Each structure stands twice: as C-alpha cells, then as structure tokens.
Amino acid sequence: MKELFFTGGTLFMSALTIMLLIIIGTGAYMLLLKPQDKVDEKLSLIKIFGLIALTIGILGQVIGLHQAFSYLGEVGSVEPKVMYGGIKVSMIPTMYGMVVYVVSLITYSVCKWFNSIKA
C-alpha cells in the first residue's frame, strides 16, 4: 500500500488522503448533530469533498499521461512494456480518487440514514 502511495505521486496521493480524512471526520461529526441542526445542508459537504477527490485523481492521471507521452516524444520509440507501465502508474491516483468518492457516498448514505432514525 505504501508503495502505491509513492508510485502514484506523493502530491496527488497526499491530497486524496487529506480529502479522505476530511470526509470521515465530517461524517463522524454529522452523526453527533441533532436532526434540527440542518443536517441535510451540511451533509452535502461530504459529497462535494468526494467529487473534489475524484477530480483530483483524474487530474493526477492526466498529468501522469502527459509526462509519459512527453517522455515518448523525447525518446522516439520505447518498448510497449515501458509504455504500459507508465499508463498503469498514471491510473493509481484515479483509482484512489474513485475509492475516496465511494467512501464519501457510503458516509453520506449512512449519515442520512442515521439522522432519519434520530428524527
């Protein structure tokens, strides 16, 4: 897991991890609120952070592909194995961003369900 974090690029992976922590923390905070505290309005923050994480992951992939194709343009020709490896590495932030987005949707659903029970 640690290897994937560093392979995917520490900048994007760190940003995604921070977003994941914000989502989990916000979800935990929402579970403590009373139903009359306008929880529905505050719950949308969880989905927004999830979408931002997904966007950051896609941006990481686009930048990674740009770097791979720039290298290909400088060198001329490379073995397909090297190119496939570059594409594989560029997908790591996108996959992590998708995982964070799914966690945000699950957190949102659980918080919404829990607050409907409390009401």
Short mmCIF file of all heavy atoms in Angstrom, two decimals, residues 65-117:
data_model
loop_
_atom_site.label_atom_id
_atom_site.label_comp_id
_atom_site.label_asym_id
_atom_site.label_seq_id
_atom_site.Cartn_x
_atom_site.Cartn_y
_atom_site.Cartn_z
N LEU A 65 -0.18 10.90 -17.61
CA LEU A 65 -0.17 10.54 -19.03
C LEU A 65 0.59 11.57 -19.86
O LEU A 65 1.31 11.22 -20.80
CB LEU A 65 -1.60 10.40 -19.55
CG LEU A 65 -2.35 9.15 -19.12
CD1 LEU A 65 -3.81 9.23 -19.55
CD2 LEU A 65 -1.68 7.92 -19.69
N HIS A 66 0.44 12.84 -19.50
CA HIS A 66 1.17 13.89 -20.20
C HIS A 66 2.67 13.68 -20.05
O HIS A 66 3.43 13.82 -21.02
CB HIS A 66 0.76 15.26 -19.68
CG HIS A 66 1.47 16.38 -20.36
ND1 HIS A 66 2.65 16.91 -19.89
CD2 HIS A 66 1.18 17.07 -21.49
CE1 HIS A 66 3.06 17.87 -20.69
NE2 HIS A 66 2.17 17.99 -21.68
N GLN A 67 3.12 13.35 -18.86
CA GLN A 67 4.54 13.10 -18.64
C GLN A 67 5.02 11.88 -19.42
O GLN A 67 6.10 11.90 -20.00
CB GLN A 67 4.82 12.91 -17.15
CG GLN A 67 4.70 14.17 -16.34
CD GLN A 67 4.85 13.92 -14.85
OE1 GLN A 67 4.73 12.79 -14.37
NE2 GLN A 67 5.09 14.99 -14.10
N ALA A 68 4.19 10.83 -19.45
CA ALA A 68 4.57 9.62 -20.19
C ALA A 68 4.67 9.91 -21.69
O ALA A 68 5.63 9.48 -22.35
CB ALA A 68 3.56 8.51 -19.94
N PHE A 69 3.73 10.65 -22.23
CA PHE A 69 3.77 10.96 -23.65
C PHE A 69 4.87 11.96 -23.99
O PHE A 69 5.44 11.92 -25.08
CB PHE A 69 2.41 11.45 -24.15
CG PHE A 69 1.38 10.36 -24.19
CD1 PHE A 69 0.13 10.55 -23.63
CD2 PHE A 69 1.65 9.14 -24.79
CE1 PHE A 69 -0.82 9.55 -23.67
CE2 PHE A 69 0.70 8.13 -24.83
CZ PHE A 69 -0.54 8.33 -24.27
N SER A 70 5.18 12.85 -23.06
CA SER A 70 6.30 13.77 -23.28
C SER A 70 7.61 13.00 -23.35
O SER A 70 8.47 13.28 -24.19
CB SER A 70 6.39 14.81 -22.15
OG SER A 70 5.28 15.65 -22.18
N TYR A 71 7.77 12.02 -22.47
CA TYR A 71 8.96 11.18 -22.49
C TYR A 71 9.03 10.41 -23.79
O TYR A 71 10.09 10.29 -24.40
CB TYR A 71 8.94 10.21 -21.30
CG TYR A 71 10.09 9.25 -21.29
CD1 TYR A 71 11.37 9.68 -20.94
CD2 TYR A 71 9.92 7.92 -21.64
CE1 TYR A 71 12.43 8.79 -20.94
CE2 TYR A 71 10.97 7.03 -21.65
CZ TYR A 71 12.22 7.47 -21.30
OH TYR A 71 13.28 6.59 -21.31
N LEU A 72 7.91 9.91 -24.25
CA LEU A 72 7.85 9.17 -25.51
C LEU A 72 8.24 10.08 -26.67
O LEU A 72 8.94 9.66 -27.59
CB LEU A 72 6.46 8.60 -25.73
CG LEU A 72 6.23 7.78 -27.00
CD1 LEU A 72 7.14 6.55 -26.99
CD2 LEU A 72 4.79 7.37 -27.11
N GLY A 73 7.82 11.35 -26.62
CA GLY A 73 8.17 12.30 -27.67
C GLY A 73 9.65 12.61 -27.69
O GLY A 73 10.23 12.83 -28.75
N GLU A 74 10.29 12.65 -26.53
CA GLU A 74 11.72 12.93 -26.46
C GLU A 74 12.56 11.75 -26.93
O GLU A 74 13.54 11.92 -27.66
CB GLU A 74 12.12 13.27 -25.02
CG GLU A 74 11.60 14.59 -24.53
CD GLU A 74 11.90 14.82 -23.06
OE1 GLU A 74 12.67 14.03 -22.47
OE2 GLU A 74 11.35 15.78 -22.50
N VAL A 75 12.17 10.55 -26.51
CA VAL A 75 12.97 9.36 -26.81
C VAL A 75 12.70 8.86 -28.22
O VAL A 75 13.60 8.38 -28.90
CB VAL A 75 12.68 8.26 -25.76
CG1 VAL A 75 13.38 6.98 -26.11
CG2 VAL A 75 13.09 8.73 -24.39
N GLY A 76 11.49 8.96 -28.67
CA GLY A 76 11.15 8.47 -30.00
C GLY A 76 10.36 7.19 -29.91
O GLY A 76 9.16 7.17 -30.09
N SER A 77 11.03 6.11 -29.65
CA SER A 77 10.33 4.84 -29.54
C SER A 77 10.78 4.11 -28.28
O SER A 77 11.96 4.14 -27.92
CB SER A 77 10.59 3.96 -30.77
OG SER A 77 11.95 3.59 -30.83
N VAL A 78 9.83 3.51 -27.63
CA VAL A 78 10.12 2.71 -26.43
C VAL A 78 9.38 1.39 -26.56
O VAL A 78 8.47 1.24 -27.37
CB VAL A 78 9.66 3.43 -25.14
CG1 VAL A 78 10.46 4.68 -24.90
CG2 VAL A 78 8.19 3.74 -25.18
N GLU A 79 9.80 0.46 -25.74
CA GLU A 79 9.13 -0.83 -25.74
C GLU A 79 7.71 -0.66 -25.20
O GLU A 79 7.47 0.16 -24.32
CB GLU A 79 9.87 -1.81 -24.84
CG GLU A 79 11.23 -2.22 -25.36
CD GLU A 79 11.88 -3.24 -24.44
OE1 GLU A 79 11.13 -4.02 -23.80
OE2 GLU A 79 13.10 -3.25 -24.37
N PRO A 80 6.78 -1.41 -25.74
CA PRO A 80 5.40 -1.32 -25.25
C PRO A 80 5.30 -1.60 -23.75
O PRO A 80 4.47 -1.01 -23.06
CB PRO A 80 4.63 -2.38 -26.05
CG PRO A 80 5.43 -2.54 -27.29
CD PRO A 80 6.85 -2.30 -26.91
N LYS A 81 6.16 -2.47 -23.24
CA LYS A 81 6.13 -2.80 -21.81
C LYS A 81 6.38 -1.56 -20.95
O LYS A 81 5.73 -1.36 -19.93
CB LYS A 81 7.19 -3.87 -21.54
CG LYS A 81 7.16 -4.42 -20.15
CD LYS A 81 7.86 -5.76 -20.06
CE LYS A 81 9.25 -5.70 -19.57
NZ LYS A 81 9.89 -6.96 -19.32
N VAL A 82 7.28 -0.70 -21.39
CA VAL A 82 7.58 0.53 -20.66
C VAL A 82 6.38 1.48 -20.72
O VAL A 82 6.00 2.09 -19.72
CB VAL A 82 8.85 1.20 -21.21
CG1 VAL A 82 9.08 2.56 -20.58
CG2 VAL A 82 10.06 0.30 -21.04
N MET A 83 5.77 1.58 -21.89
CA MET A 83 4.62 2.46 -22.05
C MET A 83 3.43 1.98 -21.23
O MET A 83 2.75 2.77 -20.58
CB MET A 83 4.24 2.54 -23.53
CG MET A 83 3.33 3.65 -23.86
SD MET A 83 4.15 5.20 -23.50
CE MET A 83 2.78 6.28 -23.54
N TYR A 84 3.20 0.68 -21.23
CA TYR A 84 2.11 0.13 -20.43
C TYR A 84 2.34 0.37 -18.94
O TYR A 84 1.40 0.63 -18.20
CB TYR A 84 1.93 -1.37 -20.69
CG TYR A 84 1.59 -1.70 -22.13
CD1 TYR A 84 2.01 -2.89 -22.70
CD2 TYR A 84 0.85 -0.83 -22.92
CE1 TYR A 84 1.70 -3.21 -24.01
CE2 TYR A 84 0.54 -1.14 -24.23
CZ TYR A 84 0.96 -2.33 -24.78
OH TYR A 84 0.66 -2.63 -26.06
N GLY A 85 3.59 0.27 -18.53
CA GLY A 85 3.93 0.55 -17.13
C GLY A 85 3.62 1.99 -16.76
O GLY A 85 3.11 2.27 -15.68
N GLY A 86 3.92 2.93 -17.67
CA GLY A 86 3.62 4.34 -17.42
C GLY A 86 2.13 4.60 -17.32
O GLY A 86 1.67 5.37 -16.47
N ILE A 87 1.37 3.96 -18.19
CA ILE A 87 -0.09 4.12 -18.15
C ILE A 87 -0.65 3.51 -16.86
O ILE A 87 -1.53 4.10 -16.22
CB ILE A 87 -0.73 3.49 -19.40
CG1 ILE A 87 -0.35 4.30 -20.64
CG2 ILE A 87 -2.24 3.41 -19.26
CD1 ILE A 87 -0.75 3.66 -21.94
N LYS A 88 -0.10 2.38 -16.45
CA LYS A 88 -0.54 1.73 -15.21
C LYS A 88 -0.28 2.64 -14.01
O LYS A 88 -1.14 2.80 -13.15
CB LYS A 88 0.20 0.41 -15.05
CG LYS A 88 -0.12 -0.34 -13.79
CD LYS A 88 0.69 -1.62 -13.73
CE LYS A 88 0.69 -2.20 -12.35
NZ LYS A 88 1.59 -3.33 -12.23
N VAL A 89 0.88 3.26 -13.96
CA VAL A 89 1.22 4.15 -12.86
C VAL A 89 0.31 5.39 -12.86
O VAL A 89 -0.12 5.86 -11.81
CB VAL A 89 2.71 4.56 -12.93
CG1 VAL A 89 3.01 5.72 -12.00
CG2 VAL A 89 3.59 3.38 -12.59
N SER A 90 -0.03 5.89 -14.06
CA SER A 90 -0.87 7.09 -14.12
C SER A 90 -2.29 6.82 -13.63
O SER A 90 -3.00 7.75 -13.27
CB SER A 90 -0.91 7.63 -15.55
OG SER A 90 -1.75 6.85 -16.37
N MET A 91 -2.71 5.56 -13.59
CA MET A 91 -4.07 5.23 -13.15
C MET A 91 -4.20 5.12 -11.64
O MET A 91 -5.32 5.10 -11.13
CB MET A 91 -4.52 3.93 -13.79
CG MET A 91 -4.78 4.04 -15.25
SD MET A 91 -5.38 2.47 -15.84
CE MET A 91 -5.95 2.95 -17.44
N ILE A 92 -3.11 5.08 -10.92
CA ILE A 92 -3.17 4.90 -9.46
C ILE A 92 -3.93 6.03 -8.78
O ILE A 92 -4.83 5.77 -7.97
CB ILE A 92 -1.75 4.72 -8.88
CG1 ILE A 92 -1.15 3.40 -9.39
CG2 ILE A 92 -1.77 4.74 -7.36
CD1 ILE A 92 0.31 3.22 -9.04
N PRO A 93 -3.64 7.33 -9.07
CA PRO A 93 -4.42 8.38 -8.41
C PRO A 93 -5.91 8.35 -8.76
O PRO A 93 -6.75 8.65 -7.91
CB PRO A 93 -3.79 9.68 -8.90
CG PRO A 93 -2.46 9.32 -9.43
CD PRO A 93 -2.57 7.90 -9.86
N THR A 94 -6.23 7.96 -9.98
CA THR A 94 -7.64 7.89 -10.37
C THR A 94 -8.36 6.80 -9.59
O THR A 94 -9.48 7.01 -9.11
CB THR A 94 -7.76 7.62 -11.88
OG1 THR A 94 -7.05 8.63 -12.58
CG2 THR A 94 -9.19 7.62 -12.32
N MET A 95 -7.72 5.65 -9.44
CA MET A 95 -8.35 4.58 -8.67
C MET A 95 -8.54 5.00 -7.22
O MET A 95 -9.59 4.76 -6.62
CB MET A 95 -7.50 3.30 -8.75
CG MET A 95 -7.51 2.65 -10.10
SD MET A 95 -6.65 1.07 -10.15
CE MET A 95 -4.98 1.53 -9.78
N TYR A 96 -7.54 5.65 -6.65
CA TYR A 96 -7.64 6.10 -5.25
C TYR A 96 -8.73 7.17 -5.11
O TYR A 96 -9.50 7.17 -4.15
CB TYR A 96 -6.29 6.61 -4.78
CG TYR A 96 -6.18 6.87 -3.29
CD1 TYR A 96 -6.77 6.03 -2.36
CD2 TYR A 96 -5.47 7.96 -2.83
CE1 TYR A 96 -6.65 6.27 -1.01
CE2 TYR A 96 -5.35 8.21 -1.47
CZ TYR A 96 -5.95 7.36 -0.57
OH TYR A 96 -5.83 7.60 0.77
N GLY A 97 -8.81 8.06 -6.10
CA GLY A 97 -9.86 9.07 -6.10
C GLY A 97 -11.24 8.45 -6.16
O GLY A 97 -12.18 8.91 -5.50
N MET A 98 -11.39 7.38 -6.94
CA MET A 98 -12.67 6.68 -7.01
C MET A 98 -13.01 6.00 -5.69
O MET A 98 -14.17 6.02 -5.26
CB MET A 98 -12.64 5.64 -8.13
CG MET A 98 -12.70 6.22 -9.50
SD MET A 98 -12.66 4.89 -10.72
CE MET A 98 -12.56 5.84 -12.21
N VAL A 99 -12.01 5.44 -5.04
CA VAL A 99 -12.23 4.81 -3.74
C VAL A 99 -12.69 5.86 -2.73
O VAL A 99 -13.64 5.64 -1.97
CB VAL A 99 -10.96 4.09 -3.25
CG1 VAL A 99 -11.07 3.69 -1.78
CG2 VAL A 99 -10.69 2.86 -4.10
N VAL A 100 -12.04 7.03 -2.73
CA VAL A 100 -12.43 8.11 -1.81
C VAL A 100 -13.85 8.57 -2.13
O VAL A 100 -14.64 8.83 -1.21
CB VAL A 100 -11.42 9.28 -1.89
CG1 VAL A 100 -11.91 10.48 -1.09
CG2 VAL A 100 -10.05 8.84 -1.40
N TYR A 101 -14.20 8.65 -3.40
CA TYR A 101 -15.56 9.05 -3.78
C TYR A 101 -16.59 8.04 -3.29
O TYR A 101 -17.64 8.42 -2.76
CB TYR A 101 -15.65 9.23 -5.29
CG TYR A 101 -17.01 9.68 -5.75
CD1 TYR A 101 -17.54 10.90 -5.35
CD2 TYR A 101 -17.79 8.88 -6.57
CE1 TYR A 101 -18.80 11.32 -5.75
CE2 TYR A 101 -19.05 9.29 -6.99
CZ TYR A 101 -19.54 10.51 -6.57
OH TYR A 101 -20.79 10.92 -6.97
N VAL A 102 -16.30 6.76 -3.45
CA VAL A 102 -17.23 5.73 -2.98
C VAL A 102 -17.37 5.80 -1.46
O VAL A 102 -18.48 5.68 -0.92
CB VAL A 102 -16.76 4.32 -3.43
CG1 VAL A 102 -17.51 3.22 -2.73
CG2 VAL A 102 -16.90 4.18 -4.94
N VAL A 103 -16.26 6.02 -0.76
CA VAL A 103 -16.32 6.17 0.71
C VAL A 103 -17.20 7.38 1.06
O VAL A 103 -17.98 7.33 2.02
CB VAL A 103 -14.90 6.31 1.31
CG1 VAL A 103 -14.95 6.77 2.75
CG2 VAL A 103 -14.16 4.99 1.20
N SER A 104 -17.08 8.46 0.29
CA SER A 104 -17.91 9.64 0.58
C SER A 104 -19.39 9.33 0.37
O SER A 104 -20.23 9.79 1.15
CB SER A 104 -17.48 10.83 -0.27
OG SER A 104 -17.92 10.71 -1.60
N LEU A 105 -19.73 8.57 -0.66
CA LEU A 105 -21.13 8.21 -0.88
C LEU A 105 -21.67 7.30 0.22
O LEU A 105 -22.80 7.45 0.67
CB LEU A 105 -21.29 7.54 -2.25
CG LEU A 105 -21.08 8.43 -3.46
CD1 LEU A 105 -21.23 7.62 -4.74
CD2 LEU A 105 -22.03 9.61 -3.46
N ILE A 106 -20.84 6.36 0.66
CA ILE A 106 -21.25 5.47 1.75
C ILE A 106 -21.42 6.28 3.04
O ILE A 106 -22.41 6.11 3.76
CB ILE A 106 -20.23 4.33 1.93
CG1 ILE A 106 -20.30 3.38 0.73
CG2 ILE A 106 -20.48 3.57 3.23
CD1 ILE A 106 -19.19 2.36 0.68
N THR A 107 -20.47 7.17 3.32
CA THR A 107 -20.56 8.01 4.51
C THR A 107 -21.80 8.88 4.46
O THR A 107 -22.53 9.02 5.46
CB THR A 107 -19.30 8.88 4.64
OG1 THR A 107 -18.14 8.04 4.65
CG2 THR A 107 -19.32 9.70 5.91
N TYR A 108 -22.07 9.46 3.31
CA TYR A 108 -23.26 10.30 3.14
C TYR A 108 -24.53 9.49 3.41
O TYR A 108 -25.42 9.94 4.13
CB TYR A 108 -23.28 10.89 1.72
CG TYR A 108 -24.54 11.62 1.38
CD1 TYR A 108 -24.74 12.94 1.78
CD2 TYR A 108 -25.55 11.01 0.64
CE1 TYR A 108 -25.90 13.62 1.47
CE2 TYR A 108 -26.71 11.68 0.32
CZ TYR A 108 -26.89 12.98 0.74
OH TYR A 108 -28.04 13.65 0.44
N SER A 109 -24.60 8.30 2.83
CA SER A 109 -25.80 7.46 2.99
C SER A 109 -25.99 7.04 4.43
O SER A 109 -27.12 7.07 4.94
CB SER A 109 -25.69 6.22 2.10
OG SER A 109 -25.60 6.60 0.75
N VAL A 110 -24.92 6.64 5.09
CA VAL A 110 -25.02 6.22 6.49
C VAL A 110 -25.46 7.38 7.37
O VAL A 110 -26.34 7.23 8.23
CB VAL A 110 -23.68 5.62 6.98
CG1 VAL A 110 -23.66 5.47 8.49
CG2 VAL A 110 -23.43 4.29 6.31
N CYS A 111 -24.87 8.56 7.16
CA CYS A 111 -25.24 9.73 7.96
C CYS A 111 -26.70 10.12 7.72
O CYS A 111 -27.42 10.45 8.66
CB CYS A 111 -24.32 10.90 7.65
SG CYS A 111 -22.65 10.69 8.28
N LYS A 112 -27.12 10.08 6.47
CA LYS A 112 -28.51 10.44 6.15
C LYS A 112 -29.48 9.44 6.79
O LYS A 112 -30.49 9.82 7.37
CB LYS A 112 -28.70 10.48 4.63
CG LYS A 112 -29.99 11.11 4.21
CD LYS A 112 -29.81 11.71 2.85
CE LYS A 112 -31.07 12.38 2.39
NZ LYS A 112 -31.21 13.73 2.88
N TRP A 113 -29.15 8.16 6.69
CA TRP A 113 -29.99 7.13 7.29
C TRP A 113 -30.03 7.29 8.80
O TRP A 113 -31.10 7.22 9.41
CB TRP A 113 -29.46 5.75 6.90
CG TRP A 113 -30.14 4.62 7.61
CD1 TRP A 113 -31.37 4.10 7.35
CD2 TRP A 113 -29.63 3.90 8.73
NE1 TRP A 113 -31.65 3.09 8.22
CE2 TRP A 113 -30.59 2.94 9.08
CE3 TRP A 113 -28.45 3.95 9.45
CZ2 TRP A 113 -30.41 2.06 10.13
CZ3 TRP A 113 -28.27 3.08 10.50
CH2 TRP A 113 -29.26 2.15 10.83
N PHE A 114 -28.87 7.49 9.42
CA PHE A 114 -28.81 7.60 10.87
C PHE A 114 -29.58 8.82 11.37
O PHE A 114 -30.27 8.76 12.38
CB PHE A 114 -27.34 7.68 11.32
CG PHE A 114 -27.15 7.56 12.80
CD1 PHE A 114 -27.31 6.33 13.43
CD2 PHE A 114 -26.84 8.66 13.57
CE1 PHE A 114 -27.13 6.20 14.79
CE2 PHE A 114 -26.66 8.55 14.93
CZ PHE A 114 -26.82 7.32 15.56
N ASN A 115 -29.49 9.93 10.64
CA ASN A 115 -30.21 11.12 11.05
C ASN A 115 -31.72 10.98 10.83
O ASN A 115 -32.51 11.60 11.53
CB ASN A 115 -29.68 12.35 10.33
CG ASN A 115 -28.38 12.82 10.95
OD1 ASN A 115 -28.26 12.88 12.15
ND2 ASN A 115 -27.40 13.12 10.12
N SER A 116 -32.14 10.16 9.85
CA SER A 116 -33.58 9.93 9.68
C SER A 116 -34.12 9.08 10.82
O SER A 116 -35.28 9.21 11.20
CB SER A 116 -33.85 9.26 8.33
OG SER A 116 -33.38 7.93 8.33
N ILE A 117 -33.29 8.22 11.38
CA ILE A 117 -33.72 7.40 12.51
C ILE A 117 -33.84 8.27 13.76
O ILE A 117 -34.78 8.11 14.55
CB ILE A 117 -32.71 6.26 12.76
CG1 ILE A 117 -32.81 5.23 11.68
CG2 ILE A 117 -32.96 5.61 14.12
CD1 ILE A 117 -31.79 4.12 11.79
#
